[in-house]
């Protein structure tokens, strides 16, 4: 399904792990928005992340930009490339 969506399962200082992987269409260098809380609206974008490693069911991402510290459970959504 497009856009690809998932959730953060764990957080490091400049990294995070997502609950989606190659089975869901995740590929290295994919960029995703992180939404603060449960509401995936543009005003709730907390960060921009990029996939660095991926396996079948999870992905590691590096934080490119953020406005607040990320939290496990927050939603992520693929950045739409026009």
């Amino acid at each position: 399904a497009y856009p690809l969506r998932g959730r953060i399962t764990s957080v490091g200082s400049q990294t995070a792990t997502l609950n989606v992987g190659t089975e869901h269409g995740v590929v290295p260098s994919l960029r995703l928005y992180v939404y603060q809380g449960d509401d995936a609206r543009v005003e709730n974008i907390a960060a921009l992340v990029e996939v660095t490693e991926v396996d079948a069911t999870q992905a590691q991402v590096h934080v490119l930009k953020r406005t607040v510290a990320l939290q496990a459970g927050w939603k992520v959504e693929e950045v739409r490339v026009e």
Side-chain angles (χ1 to χ4, degrees):
Y2 183 83
L4 187 143
R5 293 185 173 116
R7 286 192 184 267
I8 294 175
T9 55
S10 65
V11 177
S13 61
Q14 287 296 317
T15 61
T17 303
L18 310 182
N19 68 346
V20 288
T22 55
E23 289 180 356
H24 311 94
V26 178
V27 294
S29 77
L30 180 74
R31 289 185 176 195
L32 304 104
Y33 289 124
V34 177
Y35 292 94
Q36 188 169 353
D38 255 359
D39 200 353
R41 291 187 301 191
V42 69
E43 57 267 26
N44 291 333
I45 292 174
L48 175 66
V49 298
E50 184 174 77
V51 175
T52 55
E53 295 176 44
V54 62
D55 65 24
T57 59
Q58 63 182 9
Q60 299 290 321
V61 296
H62 176 75
V63 177
L64 300 175
K65 288 192 284 193
R66 70 175 179 195
T67 56
V68 294
L70 305 186
Q71 293 184 25
W74 284 4
K75 289 182 177 178
V76 297
E77 182 176 286
E78 177 181 0
V79 173
R80 296 167 195 254
V81 179
E82 299 299 326

